[in-house]
Amino acid sequence: MKQTFLITIFLISISFGLHAQTTSLPEELSSASTSFERWFGEKVSRPEDLFPGSLLIGDTPANQNTEEWTREIKKEKSNDKVTSTLKLTHTKTGLIVRYKAIQYLHFPVIEWTAYYKNVGGKNTPILQDLKTIDTIFPDFSKQRTVLHRNKGDNCTADSYEPIIEPMNTDYEIKLANTGGRPTQTTFPYFNFQREDAGLIFAISWAGQWSCRFYRDKEGTLSIQGGQELTHFTLYPGEEVRGPMVVLLFYLGDKQRGQNLWRQWMIAHNLPHPYGNPPKVPMLFACSSHQYGEMVNANTDTQLMFIEKYLQRGFSLDYWWMDAGWYPCDGQWPKTGTWVVDETRFPGGFKPISDFAHNKGVKILVWFEPERVHAGTWLTENHPEWILGGKEGGLLNLGNTQAREWLINHIDNILTKEGIDLYRQDFNMDPLDFWRKNDTPDRQGITEIRHIEGYFAYWDELLRRHPNMLIDSCASGGRRNDLETLRRAVPLLRSDYIMEPIGNQCHTWALSEWFPFFGTGTSKTSDYEVMSVLCPSFTACFDQRQDDIDWQRLMNIIEQRKLYAESYYGDYYPLTPYSLEKNAWIAWQFNLPSKGTGMIQAFRREESDTESMRLPLHGLELEAKYRITQLHKETQPLELTGKELMDYGVPLTLPEKPSALFVVYKKIKEQ
């Protein structure tokens, strides 16, 4: 019964906008503008809209006595956005609550971040329960509403699994991540779908967040969200920040909203080295699976692997050197001495990076600066910088001296060793370290300062290396809040890698939210490799083996160039999400601007279905398309957009398990 219900909801959600193109509609832009003016305009029409968020001053709600606040607005406009700074000053305490808000002019999106400053001459009363958003959305009243959300990453096959949750009236949902890593177990991105429109909401906080969603008896939707624990006084002159929130207003079906979100992500959130989004497809290669990460690697092994990959025709973008390249006594988690181990790498990484650069290949190197192990340089020399002290723990990025040392030290390594891409991992839960460092009247402050320092660290690295990509990793995909993704890309979306079914499902689910991500494999069958191909792929193949069909493998991976640009188009699931071994799973990426797209389809090992017709989306009704199967010697088909959307593209997979990739292109009229 549950599976039937989910499939029904899935079919309803994709049926509303089969022919829609995902560009912003005037009505959507108007909705965003109206909401922006509601909180960040020149005037507030309702007292309850004085704050888009909330907090308690002592035990009193801040907006209870609106006459105690003065309000100032400053606005700036550019070609693609309006920035509004709302400053609310509490005349009794000297507390300033400031919201920096942005309205995007080409997308129906608004966002804001909260800041709190004490400009008085003494400590503030206790400030608690700070919420960056605490407001209602009346448009949901008397309408059937469904919340679409996802699991976070937990290194499992069902990481990112979609959850469809009907929100009836008088219904409440409370959600939070775990351990202080923002996308661990719970995902901070949400889509509220009503009958003919919807609202996407994201809370971005690189720590411990919590949200409450509630529909009252009339069906009005309320959203509350912020840092999970805040209970502190601010000292004179002290300022702290809160999470960022984002709202996207859309008309039509849920998938239309997701595709608007994807295009906004590409335009305004993905890093743009050299002025462009990250290249697709991107190909990395490593020897981690052959040498215990880098613990048993040396200069000769790295040079040999790079040379072998290139000789076998792989057009590498980056050579990946992961954990264990520093002195660590053969145990890669022993982090805290950040120098190249020259007993294994004489002359450091420069011989490797010079060799790679001469071949047109860049270098990625792994770091994990926040986790500090006992018996390393940091614990021996600066235990005062570590939450946990000499026994090891969390490098406190809220400590200015520690952060400045880290910036200068890592910058020197990047420059000296010829490193092109900085990979930062985070294999620990920081929450207990933060909270144990707080006094009763300063709960939440250590977490805030660490997050501020984390972004300040990356921002300074990027200032010094302006076109360098950063790879965000946290035991896989557990730290992919939106502000992190504005500075970095997730090259390893989860530490659950290689197994085909789970990885097919990761791509199915994550593509709705992130237009760029990566994974990899050391497996070599067609099905196993094709199950993990996505915008970024890391080849983990053992180059010491000569009995592998390297030409076949290289062809599968290199053929990504035929369809890779579609990854930045619109995304449509073609089948329901399923982890079952007897299912098919498939999806489509469509690039309307070029009349091209691609389909990835998989028949699993227990499926009795050999052929399917899957209706496509977003095509031009009267246009004719040429459909070509990759990796198969078959004649191309020519069908109209209407035929492809009404009846579907025919797909046949005689073997199980097996995979099929299809590309299509609009045929130009003669």
Side-chain angles (χ1 to χ4, degrees):
M1 180 66 71
K2 181 179 179 182
Q3 184 178 12
T4 302
F5 170 75
L6 295 182
I7 292 173
T8 301
I9 291 293
F10 167 79
L11 293 174
I12 291 172
S13 74
I14 66 171
S15 65
F16 292 155
L18 294 181
H19 309 303
Q21 301 295 329
T22 16
T23 55
S24 301
L25 299 173
E27 297 89 342
E28 293 168 327
L29 296 174
S30 177
S31 293
S33 180
T34 299
S35 293
F36 190 75
E37 291 299 313
R38 172 182 167 188
W39 299 297
F40 308 112
E42 297 298 331
K43 295 181 180 180
V44 173
S45 59
R46 304 186 308 173
E48 56 265 36
D49 289 337
L50 181 66
F51 288 84
S54 64
L55 72 153
L56 299 179
I57 302 176
D59 294 320
T60 304
N63 62 356
Q64 180 169 297
N65 300 306
T66 58
E67 69 277 1
E68 295 178 355
W69 295 87
T70 63
R71 183 178 189 273
E72 300 176 53
I73 282 283
K74 291 183 179 179
K75 282 190 175 184
E76 297 179 2
K77 186 174 182 179
S78 66
N79 291 333
D80 59 359
K81 65 184 69 171
V82 175
T83 301
S84 181
T85 302
L86 168 61
K87 180 180 175 183
L88 299 165
T89 303
H90 193 231
T91 55
K92 285 193 172 183
T93 61
L95 173 67
I96 291 177
V97 181
R98 178 169 57 91
Y99 295 95
K100 183 177 180 182
I102 296 173
Q103 175 191 355
Y104 293 87
L105 297 178
H106 304 307
F107 293 91
V109 176
I110 64 176
E111 68 176 57
W112 66 87
T113 307
Y115 301 84
Y116 309 87
K117 185 174 183 179
N118 181 7
V119 296
K122 60 181 181 180
N123 293 355
T124 66
I126 291 293
L127 309 178
Q128 57 184 328
D129 295 334
L130 279 66
K131 307 296 183 190
T132 302
I133 184 170
D134 186 351
T135 192
I136 64 170
F137 297 89
D139 289 346
F140 284 81
S141 62
K142 304 187 189 310
Q143 291 206 32
R144 181 171 56 90
T145 297
V146 174
L147 171 59
H148 299 269
R149 60 186 181 91
N150 299 73
K151 294 180 180 179
D153 182 35
N154 210 29
C155 193
T156 52
D158 66 350
S159 292
Y160 311 116
E161 180 177 13
I163 299 168
I164 302 173
E165 195 158 0
M167 292 193 69
N168 301 317
T169 56
D170 196 20
Y171 185 79
E172 179 184 65
I173 303 172
K174 291 183 177 180
L175 297 168
N177 59 315
T178 58
R181 292 187 288 180
T183 48
Q184 179 169 267
T185 67
T186 308
F187 212 51
Y189 304 88
F190 309 93
N191 188 328
F192 296 90
Q193 179 192 357
R194 51 192 174 95
E195 291 171 14
D196 57 358
L199 174 71
I200 288 179
F201 162 69
I203 183 164
S204 179
W205 183 242
Q208 187 68 19
W209 55 268
S210 66
C211 288
R212 174 183 179 268
F213 308 131
Y214 176 67
R215 292 190 79 203
D216 64 18
K217 293 180 180 180
E218 298 299 317
T220 296
L221 174 68
S222 67
I223 296 178
Q224 295 176 326
Q227 183 181 350
E228 185 178 68
L229 175 62
T230 47
H231 180 98
F232 53 75
T233 183
L234 287 180
Y235 304 145
E238 186 178 24
E239 183 177 39
V240 296
R241 61 154 294 181
M244 179 180 76
V245 300
V246 176
L247 300 174
L248 182 150
F249 303 82
Y250 68 88
L251 296 175
D253 72 311
K254 170 241 182 183
Q255 204 60 37
R256 174 182 167 73
Q258 296 296 159
N259 279 322
L260 278 173
W261 173 271
R262 280 175 54 86
Q263 295 308 313
W264 176 71
M265 285 289 291
I266 294 166
H268 292 286
N269 296 276
L270 278 184
H272 278 57
Y274 299 99
N276 295 302
K279 170 192 170 185
V280 288
M282 198 172 284
L283 179 59
F284 294 78
C286 69
S287 62
S288 299
H289 295 78
Q290 290 78 44
Y291 296 106
E293 303 296 346
M294 291 284 287
V295 170
N296 300 310
N298 56 41
T299 299
D300 289 341
T301 62
Q302 301 305 284
L303 296 178
M304 181 267 288
F305 261 66
I306 296 171
E307 183 69 23
K308 286 281 191 180
Y309 267 108
L310 296 176
Q311 286 177 354
R312 286 165 171 159
F314 293 87
S315 53
L316 300 185
D317 294 297
Y318 287 88
W319 177 250
W320 181 313
M321 293 190 284
D322 216 82
W325 49 267
Y326 36 84
C328 60
D329 300 328
Q331 301 294 319
W332 70 262
K334 188 176 181 180
T335 52
T337 303
W338 295 110
V339 295
V340 181
D341 184 353
E342 296 209 12
T343 60
R344 292 180 288 133
F345 303 98
F349 284 151
K350 204 67 169 65
I352 301 170
S353 60
D354 283 349
F355 177 82
H357 291 159
N358 286 335
K359 304 282 188 177
V361 179
K362 296 180 180 179
I363 294 294
L364 173 153
V365 174
W366 178 98
F367 294 81
E368 192 181 359
E370 292 159 285
R371 184 173 61 154
V372 184
H373 196 280
T376 60
W377 187 91
L378 276 168
T379 55
E380 296 301 314
N381 289 273
H382 288 287
E384 74 279 8
W385 291 352
I386 302 162
L387 301 180
K390 202 173 180 66
E391 298 304 311
L394 179 69
L395 181 65
N396 184 6
L397 293 182
N399 181 304
T400 303
Q401 288 183 320
R403 186 170 68 251
E404 288 300 316
W405 172 83
L406 183 64
I407 289 169
N408 292 324
H409 187 70
I410 300 301
D411 172 46
N412 181 61
I413 293 176
L414 296 175
T415 303
K416 176 184 174 185
E417 306 296 345
I419 297 168
D420 304 287
L421 197 158
Y422 171 76
R423 170 171 166 81
Q424 182 163 319
D425 209 341
F426 194 34
N427 293 298
M428 63 183 296
D429 285 345
L431 188 59
D432 283 348
F433 290 97
W434 290 333
R435 291 186 175 175
K436 287 176 181 177
N437 194 59
D438 288 335
T439 56
D441 64 344
R442 298 280 283 173
Q443 295 175 65
I445 290 292
T446 303
E447 178 180 345
I448 292 169
R449 294 301 182 212
H450 189 101
I451 290 167
E452 291 172 337
Y454 159 60
F455 289 135
Y457 166 55
W458 276 13
D459 287 344
E460 181 57 21
L461 283 187
L462 290 169
R463 189 191 69 80
R464 298 184 187 189
H465 304 269
N467 293 307
M468 177 183 72
L469 273 179
I470 293 175
D471 171 24
S472 168
C473 189
S475 307
R478 306 186 199 193
R479 201 188 205 178
N480 286 326
D481 57 284
L482 189 55
E483 288 181 276
T484 290
L485 294 183
R486 287 182 171 178
R487 297 165 170 86
V489 292
L491 296 179
L492 194 61
R493 63 191 178 188
S494 174
D495 274 356
Y496 187 86
I497 57 175
M498 302 192 206
E499 187 276 315
I501 290 178
N503 276 277
Q504 293 162 14
C505 287
H506 290 182
T507 299
W508 190 104
L510 200 55
S511 295
E512 295 206 311
W513 296 105
F514 299 169
F516 185 93
F517 52 82
T519 187
T521 190
S522 63
K523 307 297 183 181
T524 58
S525 76
D526 289 10
Y527 179 71
E528 289 167 317
V529 173
M530 293 168 74
S531 292
V532 299
L533 290 182
C534 55
S536 174
F537 173 73
T538 301
C540 312
F541 309 131
D542 192 344
Q543 294 299 314
R544 298 168 299 183
Q545 297 185 21
D546 295 322
D547 57 350
I548 293 174
D549 186 348
W550 292 109
Q551 184 67 42
R552 173 186 55 83
L553 269 181
M554 187 272 293
N555 288 342
I556 291 173
I557 293 167
E558 291 296 310
Q559 275 189 333
R560 294 187 307 154
K561 295 174 182 176
L562 298 176
Y563 56 80
E565 64 178 359
S566 299
Y567 282 129
Y568 282 151
D570 296 337
Y571 170 70
Y572 299 97
L574 299 181
T575 65
Y577 175 98
S578 176
L579 284 161
E580 298 301 320
K581 293 182 180 180
N582 63 355
W584 277 55
I585 195 167
W587 53 83
Q588 171 196 3
F589 288 97
N590 184 48
L591 199 61
S593 61
K594 295 194 175 181
T596 60
M598 62 92 66
I599 301 151
Q600 294 174 277
F602 302 89
R603 179 189 181 188
R604 294 178 180 160
E605 57 263 39
E606 296 179 10
S607 170
D608 293 329
T609 303
E610 184 173 310
S611 298
M612 296 190 77
R613 289 192 79 107
L614 299 175
L616 302 187
H617 307 278
L619 307 182
E620 296 179 28
L621 290 173
E622 303 303 323
K624 186 168 283 190
Y625 292 83
R626 179 175 290 113
I627 300 100
T628 304
Q629 296 186 12
L630 303 181
H631 324 299
K632 304 283 185 181
E633 294 184 2
T634 58
Q635 286 296 111
L637 292 175
E638 292 187 2
L639 297 169
T640 66
K642 179 175 173 51
E643 290 171 324
L644 288 167
M645 291 193 289
D646 287 348
Y647 306 112
V649 60
L651 303 176
T652 298
L653 286 170
E655 298 177 2
K656 54 181 183 179
S658 56
L660 180 62
F661 288 8
V662 175
V663 296
Y664 58 86
K665 184 175 180 61
K666 186 171 69 173
I667 300 171
K668 294 182 179 180
E669 296 181 3
Q670 298 298 323

